[in-house]
Amino acid sequence: MKLAACINHVPDTAAKINIAADGKTIDKSGVTYVISPYDEIAVEECLRLKEKNGGDVTVISLGGDAHKETLRKALAMGADKAVLLRDDSVRDSSGVARALADYLKELSPDIVFFGKQSVDYDDGAVGVMVAEMLGLPSVSVVVKLDIADGKATAEREIEGGREVLETSLPAVFTTQKGLNEPRYPSLKGIMGAKSKPIEERPTSPVTAKIELLLMQKPPAKPAGRIIGTDVSAVPELVRLLHEEAKVI
Amino acid sequence: MSRFQGVDYFCIDELLSEDELLVRKTVRDYVDQKVLPIIEKHYEEGTFPLHLVPQMAELGLFGSTLPAKYGCAEMNNVAYGIVMQELERGDSGIRSFASVQSALVMYPIFTFGSQKQKDHWLPKLAAGLAVGCFGLTEPDYGSNPGGLITRAEKRSGGYLLNGAKMWITNGSIADVAVVWAKLDGEIRGFLIEKGTKGFSAPEMKGKHSLRASVTSELVFQDCLIPEENILPESGGLKSPLKCLSQARYGIAWGAVGSSMACYDVALQYAKSRIQFDKPIASFQLTQEKLVQMVTEITKAQLLCLQLGRLKDQGKEKFAQISLAKRNNVHEALGIARTAREILGANGILNEYPVMRHAANLESVKTYEGTHEMHTLIVGEDITGIAAFA
């Protein structure tokens, strides 16, 4: 079984993000980067399917040299091969999807996994766009997956419940927390990853369909106010909640 | 408290390889997710979290510098140090377990053992299927291990051991003990298996430090072991001292881990704790404390890294290891105490890790060569004059 996971290199979710002077990018100084957490679930699902059914796992990332760090981590977790689709430009989601789809068409895996969203821009669009471009069925936000007899049964989260779907293969899935618990790359895995290749591929430029105009941080939270410490403050609290905060 | 992001005031990460950074990420995440959520409970109850052993083995944290043919990761000494640092950011007791298993059990078996001993024990110890301990210190011989009185006598088909060891990490949970005893007046290493007649390992109770670690006595009363259980290449005090050098190297790194944990919590606390209408981090006295902490952490990081690079080239001197262990543990203890001061009364609660680290570091300062002995080791090295013995 040929398995692929598309993974992104993103700021650590615990990192403090500041917007750069151009107002359109983030200030990368002092920010550590990690594999996007949902993409880690995508890699883990590939590894589990490989362990169960055999096959090989290719991990793919679109970006510059820094993305090799994330590819190396996926190799250390147990992926067999990594591909860096080299691109130093800033792309919108459809541009990212185009480059990934072009490569995946050639690779033609049985299953392609994406994290349900990349935790940098949070578009949640690339996985399903790629499926569309490849003309493959896709199921997003998958929390359970069974593969048998050339078919996949996937469970996905919907508001207030779950939906169970069946699809033929090849197919694209985007992964949600709960599907699995990603393994840590072991020290042996890290050593083993050194001898695994990272193939670099050029990408064709695309015309952006969407232009980013401005990034803004949420307004700073005002400081808390203490309006009293005993029951006598209740009427004033009620008044403020009603008239000022407008929550009651 | 937000998740630990590392302390790297001098861009020291730039001196680490991609593999070394990845090792750190693995162990750091592991400690965040599996160690920190359970450690306070174990510390309070005085129990070692034994369930972590197979997990740490799976990650390859035991004997990580030893050859792959024994199931080990075969990484360099810097990566090994990073593992120790990250484990001790969790707790000195967890780091102690890994230190003992790696530096004091697997290392001597690898270095002084027969091929048969290596083939038998190393894969099991690497996989966490067996736990080891190291018995050198005795009730009356601590800083002066050369005087030890545990004795081995040659008997037909084996050796008869008599004596007692004390302050032995992992003793009561160990499947195999690397024990140092005098055979015809010469210190030799022996492997004693759990359950051998005449061997017992009662746990020492009542510790106010390293509570999430097992500390034991080892007692040998006419304990007869097979002839093949001697470590054939061991001989003289320098054999156990070589093991201690390995362990001390790991401790120098480990102390950086506790320091980082305490500094991180103190910095976050100082920025959020309001007194006199402003964060206490805005007061000069607090800033001076924080600056001192980050300064000492930076110095300790650079000491460790250069020591590790020297060790990878086989150029380190044992006195350099002494200097690093001595300095880094001393400073770590100071940092833990200062962090406690910054946290005020909150500093004594187990909601924060600082009191636990401070209490642990009191042991770390004394074990694997006391602070004082390391002073004299460096003193002898630079003057050529031994101030002891």
Side-chain angles (χ1 to χ4, degrees), chain A residues 5 34 54 60 65 67 85 98 100 130 148 162 170 178 183 192 194 211 214 216 221:
Chain A
V34 296
I60 304 145
D65 265 335
H67 285 240
L85 301 177
R98 183 77 264 160
L100 292 168
V130 166
R162 281 189 179 193
R183 68 197 65 190
K194 286 171 130 176
E211 189 193 347
L214 188 64
Q216 275 179 320
K221 266 193 219 161

Coordinates of all heavy atoms in Angstrom, one line a residue, chain A residues 5 34 54 60 65 67 85 98 100 130 148 162 170 178 183 192 194 211 214 216 221:
Chain A
A5 N 1.7 11.4 3.3 CA 1.2 12.4 4.2 C 1.8 13.7 3.8 O 3.0 13.8 3.6 CB 1.6 12.1 5.6
V34 N 7.6 23.7 14.3 CA 7.4 22.3 14.6 C 6.5 21.8 13.4 O 6.0 22.5 12.6 CB 6.5 22.1 15.9 CG1 7.3 22.5 17.1 CG2 5.2 22.8 15.8
G54 N 1.6 -3.4 5.4 CA 2.8 -3.3 4.6 C 2.7 -2.1 3.7 O 1.7 -1.3 3.7
I60 N 5.6 14.6 2.4 CA 5.8 15.7 1.4 C 5.5 17.0 2.1 O 4.6 17.2 2.8 CB 4.8 15.5 0.3 CG1 4.9 14.2 -0.4 CG2 5.0 16.6 -0.8 CD1 3.6 13.6 -0.9
D65 N 14.2 25.5 2.8 CA 15.1 24.6 3.5 C 14.6 24.2 4.9 O 14.8 23.1 5.4 CB 16.5 25.3 3.7 CG 17.4 24.8 2.6 OD1 17.2 23.7 2.0 OD2 18.3 25.6 2.2
H67 N 11.9 23.5 6.0 CA 10.9 22.4 6.1 C 11.6 21.1 6.2 O 10.9 20.1 6.5 CB 10.0 22.5 4.8 CG 9.0 23.6 4.9 ND1 7.6 23.3 4.9 CD2 9.1 24.9 5.1 CE1 7.0 24.5 4.9 NE2 7.9 25.4 5.1
L85 N 9.1 19.9 -1.8 CA 8.7 20.6 -3.0 C 9.1 22.1 -2.8 O 8.6 22.8 -2.0 CB 7.2 20.6 -3.2 CG 6.6 19.1 -3.4 CD1 5.1 19.2 -3.5 CD2 7.2 18.4 -4.6
R98 N -2.1 23.2 -5.5 CA -1.7 22.9 -6.9 C -0.4 22.2 -6.9 O -0.2 21.2 -7.6 CB -1.6 24.3 -7.7 CG -1.2 24.2 -9.1 CD -2.4 23.8 -9.9 NE -2.4 22.4 -10.2 CZ -3.5 21.6 -10.6 NH1 -4.7 22.2 -10.7 NH2 -3.3 20.3 -10.8
L100 N 1.1 20.5 -4.5 CA 1.0 19.2 -3.9 C 0.3 18.2 -4.9 O 0.8 17.1 -5.1 CB 0.3 19.2 -2.6 CG 1.0 20.0 -1.5 CD1 0.1 20.2 -0.3 CD2 2.2 19.2 -1.0
V130 N -6.8 19.5 -2.9 CA -6.0 18.5 -3.6 C -6.8 17.4 -4.1 O -6.7 16.9 -5.2 CB -4.8 18.0 -2.6 CG1 -4.1 16.8 -3.2 CG2 -3.8 19.1 -2.4
A148 N -10.3 -1.9 4.5 CA -10.4 -3.3 4.2 C -11.0 -3.5 2.8 O -11.8 -2.7 2.3 CB -11.3 -3.9 5.2
R162 N -21.3 12.1 15.1 CA -20.4 11.6 14.2 C -21.1 11.1 12.9 O -22.3 10.7 13.0 CB -19.6 10.4 14.8 CG -18.5 10.8 15.7 CD -17.7 9.6 16.1 NE -16.6 10.1 16.9 CZ -15.6 9.3 17.3 NH1 -15.5 8.1 16.8 NH2 -14.6 9.8 18.0
P170 N -8.2 4.9 -4.6 CA -7.5 5.9 -3.7 C -8.4 7.0 -3.2 O -9.4 7.3 -3.9 CB -6.4 6.5 -4.6 CG -6.8 6.1 -6.0 CD -7.7 4.9 -6.0
G178 N -7.6 12.6 18.0 CA -8.5 11.5 18.4 C -8.3 10.3 17.5 O -8.6 9.1 17.9
R183 N 3.4 8.9 17.7 CA 4.6 8.4 18.4 C 5.6 9.5 18.5 O 5.6 10.5 17.7 CB 5.1 7.2 17.8 CG 5.8 7.5 16.4 CD 5.9 6.2 15.6 NE 4.7 5.6 15.3 CZ 4.5 4.4 14.8 NH1 5.6 3.6 14.5 NH2 3.3 3.9 14.5
G192 N 18.4 6.5 12.4 CA 18.0 5.8 11.1 C 17.6 6.8 10.0 O 17.8 6.6 8.8
K194 N 18.9 9.5 9.3 CA 20.0 10.1 8.6 C 20.3 9.5 7.2 O 20.8 10.2 6.3 CB 21.3 10.0 9.5 CG 21.3 10.9 10.6 CD 22.4 10.5 11.5 CE 23.3 11.7 11.9 NZ 24.3 11.5 12.8
E211 N -5.1 37.7 -2.4 CA -4.0 38.5 -1.9 C -4.2 38.8 -0.4 O -5.3 39.3 0.0 CB -3.9 39.8 -2.7 CG -2.6 40.6 -2.4 CD -2.7 42.0 -3.0 OE1 -3.5 42.3 -3.8 OE2 -1.8 42.8 -2.6
L214 N -3.5 42.3 5.1 CA -3.1 42.8 6.4 C -3.3 41.7 7.4 O -4.3 40.9 7.4 CB -3.9 44.0 6.8 CG -3.6 44.8 8.0 CD1 -2.2 45.4 7.9 CD2 -4.6 45.8 8.3
Q216 N -3.5 41.2 11.6 CA -3.7 42.0 12.8 C -3.8 41.1 14.1 O -4.4 40.0 14.0 CB -5.0 42.8 12.7 CG -4.9 44.1 12.0 CD -6.2 44.9 11.9 OE1 -7.2 44.3 11.7 NE2 -6.1 46.2 12.1
K221 N -6.5 42.8 25.7 CA -7.6 42.7 26.7 C -7.4 43.8 27.7 O -6.3 44.0 28.3 CB -7.5 41.3 27.4 CG -8.3 40.3 26.8 CD -8.4 39.1 27.7 CE -8.3 37.8 27.0 NZ -7.9 36.7 27.8

